[in-house]
């Protein structure tokens, strides 16, 4: 399998993108901002359409839109946390812009631009060149490193905002930095699994890890590991059965892991009456 260059490129890009998705996704779940991830998946496609309509590389519009909207949601939300009202407002605005850019795009698009738009929507991990794969890996590694640098104060602010503020944590700055990283990861992951399936890679491994462990650091590592494992499994299955699209298989693996974790929690060896319930994550202070 790895004798093929396109598979090596897919594994290189997919591994680091999945690592970043797993780490960022864990905080998306802990902070109850899954709706923000869903909104950014639509923002990614709208941004790509805007770039294509302007005659630019779709990645320019993709990254610009996701980062600006992510930071905008944080700035408009309470204490740099994107609440549902803010996300819903941005969601409606972005969808309206998407209709506008789609109209412009379809009236003046070429076959090449049309293909680029479809790739953003459904993912194109098997179509990445060596330079694209290296860039994706670099951005994924940088996003993961940035997230780990702010992980402790971010976790503190996520679990107990008032205490974190009293201890001197700059909760607004940390929240904005997190949303900025989320925007980068959403843009990069859209090229791997597509804007339509982005939320699956962000939320499913993180949700599984959240169910499996009440220790936040163990959960963070589990989320990253499960996201990478889902990507490897999806790519392998898609190679073995060429009719199966890789983006769908990656997200399917992640979703099946979540179902298995939920079933284990409810019907596992330790019965429901004996299994300890974790209503909150363990303290990090």
């Amino acid at each position: 399998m790895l004798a093929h260059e396109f598979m090596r490129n897919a594994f290189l890009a997919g591994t680091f993108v999945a690592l970043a998705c797993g780490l960022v996704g864990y905080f998306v779940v802990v902070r109850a901002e899954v709706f923000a991830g869903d909104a950014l998946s639509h923002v990614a496609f709208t941004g790509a359409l805007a770039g294509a309509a302007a005659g630019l590389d779709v990645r320019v519009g993709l990254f610009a839109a996701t980062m600006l909207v992510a930071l905008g949601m944080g700035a408009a939300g309470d204490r740099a946390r994107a609440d549902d009202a803010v996300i819903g407002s941005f969601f409606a605005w972005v969808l309206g812009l998407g209709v506008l850019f789609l109209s412009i795009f379809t009236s003046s698009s070429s076959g090449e631009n049309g293909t680029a738009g479809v790739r953003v929507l459904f993912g194109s991990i098997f179509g990445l060149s060596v330079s694209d794969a290296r860039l994706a890996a670099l951005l994924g590694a940088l996003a993961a490193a940035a997230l780990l640098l702010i992980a402790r104060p971010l976790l503190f602010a996520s679990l107990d905002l008032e205490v974190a503020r009293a201890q001197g944590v700059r909760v607004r700055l940390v929240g904005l930095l997190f949303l900025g990283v989320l925007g980068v990861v959403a843009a990069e992951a859209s090229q791997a699994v597509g804007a339509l399936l982005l939320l699956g890679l962000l939320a499913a491994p993180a949700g599984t890890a959240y169910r499996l462990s009440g220790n936040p650091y163990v959960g963070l590592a589990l989320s990253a590991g499960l996201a990478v494992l889902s990507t490897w499994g999806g790519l392998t299955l898609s190679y073995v059965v060429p009719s199966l699209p890789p983006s769908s298989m990656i997200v399917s693996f992640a979703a099946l892991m979540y179902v298995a974790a939920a079933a284990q929690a409810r019907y596992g060896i330790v019965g429901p009456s004996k299994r300890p319930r974790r209503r909150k994550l363990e303290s990090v202070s």
Side-chain angles (χ1 to χ4, degrees), residues 11-264:
F11 271 94
L12 174 62
T15 298
F16 285 95
V17 168
L19 176 66
C21 281
L23 294 174
V24 172
Y26 187 76
F27 284 102
V28 168
V29 171
V30 170
R31 293 168 66 85
E33 293 183 338
V34 175
F35 189 25
D38 185 31
L40 287 177
S41 67
H42 292 75
V43 170
F45 187 60
T46 298
L49 281 177
L56 303 173
D57 189 318
V58 294
R59 289 174 294 186
V60 174
L62 183 66
F63 278 91
T66 52
M67 290 188 66
L68 288 175
V69 172
L71 292 174
M73 290 191 300
D78 182 32
R79 298 168 184 172
R81 296 184 73 155
D83 56 53
D84 287 350
V86 170
I87 297 171
S89 299
F90 273 88
F91 206 163
W93 174 57
V94 166
L95 287 178
L97 287 178
V99 173
L100 171 63
F101 292 135
L102 181 61
S103 176
I104 298 172
F105 176 70
T106 53
S107 63
S108 60
S109 64
S110 65
E112 181 180 355
N113 279 339
T115 302
V118 171
R119 285 181 175 179
V120 173
L121 189 59
F122 297 103
S124 58
I125 195 166
F126 281 169
L128 296 177
S129 65
V130 175
S131 60
D132 289 339
R134 289 175 178 173
L135 179 60
L138 176 62
L139 291 175
L142 290 175
L147 193 282
L148 290 175
L149 284 175
I150 63 171
R152 185 174 177 83
L154 178 61
L155 187 60
F156 196 5
S158 301
L159 297 180
D160 201 329
L161 183 65
E162 296 302 332
V163 174
R165 173 178 287 178
Q167 292 293 326
V169 176
R170 301 178 66 181
V171 295
R172 188 168 186 82
L173 176 60
V174 169
L176 286 174
L177 288 174
F178 168 68
L179 287 172
V181 174
L182 175 59
V184 172
V185 172
E188 192 56 52
S190 295
Q191 299 182 75
V193 296
L196 286 180
L197 299 177
L198 166 63
L199 186 61
L201 194 56
L202 276 176
T208 304
Y210 188 78
R211 281 184 169 273
L212 292 177
S213 177
N215 183 302
Y217 296 110
V218 173
L220 193 60
L222 271 175
S223 180
L226 291 173
V228 172
L229 185 61
S230 298
T231 300
W232 289 352
L235 291 176
T236 302
L237 183 59
S238 187
Y239 174 80
V240 173
V241 186
S243 61
L244 298 176
S247 54
S248 298
M249 293 304 98
I250 291 171
V251 175
S252 294
F253 264 88
L256 286 174
M257 288 181 182
Y258 180 81
V259 171
Q264 170 63 22

